[in-house]
Amino acid sequence: TAVLPAGTAAAVAPDAAKRLLAEADRLLAGHGGWFGVARDDLADPDWSYDPRTGRRAPGGYAFDVPYRDEDAVGDIKQIWEPSRHQYLTVLAAAHALTGDERYAERVAALLRSWWAANPPLRGVHWTSGIELGIRLLSWVWIRRLLEGWPGAAALFEDNPVALDQIWHHQRWLAAFPSRGSSANNHAVAEAAGQLAGSCAFGWFPSSPRWRADALASLERQLRSNTFGSGLNRELATEYHGLVLELGLAAVAEADAAGVPVPAVVRLVLLRMTDALAAVVDGTLRPPRQGDADDGHGLVVDGAGTDRWGSLLATGDAVFGRLDWWPEVTGA
């Protein structure tokens, strides 16, 4: 896994560092929540529990779990969201920023807990490709952000359980791509996670094939999900942000691994960034339209971070800012 460039932590703006550490400390204390439901059990969660309904998803063979049946499973979004492990990336980012091993040790404990509770193809967390793709992208960044912690290798590349989980995530994504009505942002997340995982965790005989197939799928899905103007074809602002985040994260991983990325992929992402710059208002807020599920491709910052300003700043770093783009003074 490629490491962060030297000086990255020192370059984080003081306000951003303050937000990140405040959020990480809240999570370290076990507090968080999703979709308006507070959680106080995140230090040692039941990964199959839905706090909204009080129900717990059944175990067993993944494809026998009726995850769309709330009476049988609970609110699936409440169950899936913590297992995207984006609150673990926040804790890992706090470790990268401070070197405080409490954050790394909590991340390690939570990953080991999840792996033990969710063996391959067992339970509700093995039923949806978008969940596996985003989770795999989170693991890539967790490993990167834990670089320098003495236990990092033992948690990942020297850990047979981790290797088994990473292999099965990539094998699942290769075998069960989303089709039909799900071939939208779901398919982009699957391709992005597969590409990131096969670049950063290229430890398996199938890694080159997974990498090539994921890159081809990412190109195909980005093109089919994006108008020539750069706007997302689902005509949903939040999905535009999600797809752009996923695409940028995947391309960054390919670049870090020295994997050539087709020019059309960068062109689509540039057009998406350009379209975002065109629709935000003077406070960098885009219009609220279409479906939304609060989904993010990657989370490494604290609460209150300006998502849209952050995306425009990332576009500036990746493509170079176009003259007419709005100024981003702090994200």
Side-chain angles (χ1 to χ4, degrees):
T1 306
V3 300
L4 292 173
T8 297
V12 176
D15 284 350
K18 183 178 179 180
R19 289 195 304 269
L20 170 62
L21 295 180
E23 182 70 6
D25 287 342
R26 189 170 75 102
L27 294 168
L28 198 64
H31 306 305
W34 291 271
F35 309 114
V37 178
R39 297 284 295 262
D40 295 313
D41 61 338
L42 297 182
D44 184 21
D46 179 342
W47 298 105
S48 296
Y49 176 68
D50 164 29
R52 187 180 70 79
T53 64
R55 296 188 179 95
R56 189 176 188 280
Y61 180 55
F63 296 114
D64 287 339
V65 177
Y67 67 90
R68 291 187 174 92
D69 183 350
E70 186 171 301
D71 290 335
V73 172
D75 183 341
I76 193 60
K77 289 294 292 179
Q78 290 289 343
I79 297 171
W80 275 343
E81 200 70 20
S83 287
R84 291 185 172 187
H85 289 174
Q86 292 177 330
Y87 84 95
L88 277 66
T89 54
V90 171
L91 290 166
H95 170 266
L97 193 63
T98 65
D100 189 332
E101 294 193 357
R102 293 178 305 151
Y103 301 119
E105 289 164 357
R106 177 60 56 80
V107 170
L110 289 167
L111 281 177
R112 291 191 175 105
S113 166
W114 195 93
W115 290 334
N118 297 281
L121 294 179
R122 309 295 293 179
V124 74
H125 295 299
W126 292 88
T127 59
S128 174
I130 186 174
E131 304 305 317
L132 276 79
I134 290 177
R135 186 160 54 242
L136 192 55
L137 181 58
S138 293
W139 291 354
V140 167
W141 273 87
I142 289 168
R143 177 61 186 89
R144 173 170 294 124
L145 293 164
L146 293 185
E147 182 67 24
W149 177 55
L155 179 62
F156 278 94
E157 56 264 34
D158 296 337
N159 181 358
V161 175
L163 293 174
D164 188 54
Q165 285 276 348
I166 292 167
W167 185 90
H168 274 93
H169 271 67
Q170 294 188 78
R171 179 68 182 90
W172 196 108
L173 290 168
F176 304 115
S178 287
R179 304 184 189 279
S181 63
S182 292
N184 41 42
N185 60 82
H186 287 230
V188 174
E190 292 162 13
Q194 180 77 300
L195 179 57
S198 57
C199 286
F201 302 141
W203 305 325
F204 310 103
S206 296
S207 293
R209 175 169 54 83
W210 289 337
R211 189 181 308 128
D213 290 349
L215 187 56
S217 177
L218 183 67
E219 176 184 347
R220 185 170 61 252
Q221 298 301 337
L222 284 175
R223 293 177 69 178
S224 65
N225 279 276
T226 311
F227 288 114
S229 65
L231 288 172
N232 182 262
R233 284 185 181 272
E234 293 186 78
L235 296 178
T237 303
E238 295 292 329
Y239 287 156
H240 186 102
L242 172 62
V243 169
L244 182 54
E245 287 170 355
L246 289 165
L248 289 170
V251 168
E253 216 57 54
D255 288 346
V259 175
V261 175
V264 68
V265 171
R266 297 185 196 276
L267 178 60
V268 172
L269 295 173
L270 171 58
R271 286 174 174 171
M272 291 187 71
T273 308
D274 196 53
L276 176 61
V279 300
V280 294
D281 63 17
T283 63
L284 302 183
R285 294 293 187 274
R288 293 182 60 86
Q289 66 176 28
D291 196 7
D293 61 5
D294 296 340
H296 288 261
L298 177 67
V299 180
V300 290
D301 41 32
T305 298
D306 181 352
R307 177 185 199 175
W308 309 107
S310 179
L311 276 170
L312 290 172
T314 303
D316 184 356
V318 173
F319 306 115
R321 180 179 174 275
L322 300 184
D323 290 342
W324 67 272
W325 286 5
E327 292 280 355
V328 178
T329 57

